[in-house]
Amino acid sequence: MRDDQRQEMPQAEFDAVHYFVNEPGRAPAPPEDLAVYLASTLTQPALAEQLDTLVADLRALVPGFDPVATSWASAGEAPAGAEGGPDDRTRAALRAGQVEMLQVSLADDMGRRLILSLVALPGDPAASLGLSIAGEDNPWPDGPDPMAERLLQLVLRRRHEWSLTTAGITYDRSGLDRTAWERWYSAPDTLMLPAATEHVRGYFWANLLTPGHLAAYGGEFPHRAESAGMTVVPAGDGVLVRDPGPITAFTDDRLAAMKKLLTPVLLDRAYLSYQGYPLRIVRDPGTAFRQVPPGDPVPRVF
């Protein structure tokens, strides 16, 4: 082998998260926060009828938080918005079935926010709706552990009314709309939302599985969950599987056990590169890093 060929060979490994957080001037990583990610087979017109109830449930979940702004974007139209909660224009946009994004922000008198977010694919009516509920500036008055339990009960109570296909409750830095798994694997909504009836959106402290997911286990899911030390809660024709401990005690070992349990219903997606703040993710052996040539700080992914 010639010397020039040898010098071009990759000789180091690139950790994209380490690179990101250590860039000069980078702000410290934000704290982990509580969030829930949902997928629903409701149509947009059906969601229009459920939206006020959904907002009311959030107000009951965090007393003292009131709707302060609603915004949405529809295919082929300029973004629109309204002060306060969803109004007639919001519901009309949903009834037209063309909304691609919608957010409802609730805030308290300290300026903390709780945000309900919707992502939809109007061009694919068979795709699920993507919903998330996440906070800004730690809006959970009772702390993450009791609030996670309350979110879990809300998911179980509304499972059928919201036509949920899957749900995940997590304590992470993933933020709105996309789960840690979706960010890590660069998985777009166009991939995830059509697949939500058979695939989950990641692996979390608590996860809702419905018939399309359970079919992948051939009736063995309760046994596998018990062997992994997880708790299974009936949820109509589905189940909610959770770690028995509090969400802030969900260790990396327990996260890895949940990943192993849910692997049959995770999409087969190769890691490319994620540059961002650390996420609660289990790195796949041999794929979480990229080889880089000597002296080059950025990997050659392709």
Side-chain angles (χ1 to χ4, degrees):
M1 181 181 295
R2 302 195 314 267
D3 288 343
D4 59 342
Q5 290 177 318
R6 184 176 294 109
Q7 289 300 316
E8 291 175 359
M9 292 180 64
Q11 296 180 9
E13 284 191 321
F14 176 82
D15 183 335
V17 174
H18 182 271
Y19 178 84
F20 176 87
V21 299
N22 286 282
E23 280 189 312
R26 179 73 60 195
E32 294 177 324
D33 208 349
L34 192 62
V36 58
Y37 301 94
L38 313 164
S40 166
T41 56
L42 285 175
T43 63
Q44 291 196 32
L47 178 62
E49 306 307 317
Q50 291 280 350
L51 198 53
D52 288 342
T53 300
L54 207 163
V55 172
D57 281 336
L58 296 186
R59 297 182 70 183
L61 193 72
V62 282
F65 281 70
D66 296 309
V68 294
T70 300
S71 60
W72 64 93
S74 295
E77 297 184 8
E83 293 185 2
D87 61 4
D88 289 342
R89 291 184 303 144
T90 313
R91 285 182 281 273
L94 285 170
R95 290 190 185 107
Q98 293 300 307
V99 172
E100 295 177 324
M101 178 281 296
L102 183 147
Q103 288 186 359
V104 181
S105 296
L106 294 82
D108 67 356
D109 55 11
M110 297 174 61
R112 298 177 298 181
R113 286 182 177 251
L114 183 65
I115 301 172
L116 166 68
S117 181
L118 162 74
V119 176
L121 303 177
D124 187 354
S128 294
L129 303 177
L131 295 162
S132 63
I133 301 165
E136 292 181 353
D137 301 320
N138 190 23
W140 314 102
D142 297 330
D145 289 331
M147 293 307 299
E149 299 289 347
R150 292 173 65 183
L151 274 172
L152 187 153
Q153 293 305 316
L154 177 61
V155 167
L156 290 174
R157 188 168 69 251
R158 297 300 191 189
R159 149 84 174 96
H160 290 292
E161 288 173 85
W162 296 349
S163 297
L164 297 180
T165 55
T166 190
I169 301 173
T170 186
Y171 191 59
D172 206 341
R173 298 183 183 90
S174 38
L176 277 176
D177 298 330
R178 302 179 70 200
T179 70
W181 191 94
E182 291 163 349
R183 292 183 186 278
W184 183 260
Y185 289 100
S186 304
D189 300 321
T190 51
L191 174 68
M192 299 303 299
L193 297 182
T197 55
E198 296 180 349
H199 296 279
V200 293
R201 299 182 63 183
Y203 43 90
F204 315 101
W205 169 76
N207 313 265
L208 176 68
L209 277 66
T210 50
H213 310 117
L214 296 176
Y217 294 88
E220 293 295 317
F221 184 80
H223 172 71
R224 292 197 197 184
E226 181 181 357
S227 297
M230 303 300 174
T231 299
V232 176
V233 181
D237 57 358
V239 298
L240 190 139
V241 58
R242 56 162 293 179
D243 187 89
I247 198 167
T248 56
F250 190 47
T251 63
D252 288 347
D253 286 348
R254 300 300 295 153
L255 181 70
M258 189 67 82
K259 177 188 177 183
K260 182 177 180 181
L261 174 64
L262 297 185
T263 292
V265 289
L266 291 170
L267 275 166
D268 186 10
R269 181 80 172 170
Y271 172 84
L272 293 176
S273 181
Y274 163 80
Q275 292 191 44
Y277 290 113
L279 299 172
R280 296 299 310 280
I281 205 80
V282 179
R283 299 183 180 196
D284 299 326
T287 65
F289 303 93
R290 279 291 175 265
Q291 298 288 331
V292 295
D296 187 345
V298 179
R300 299 182 182 178
V301 177
F302 301 105

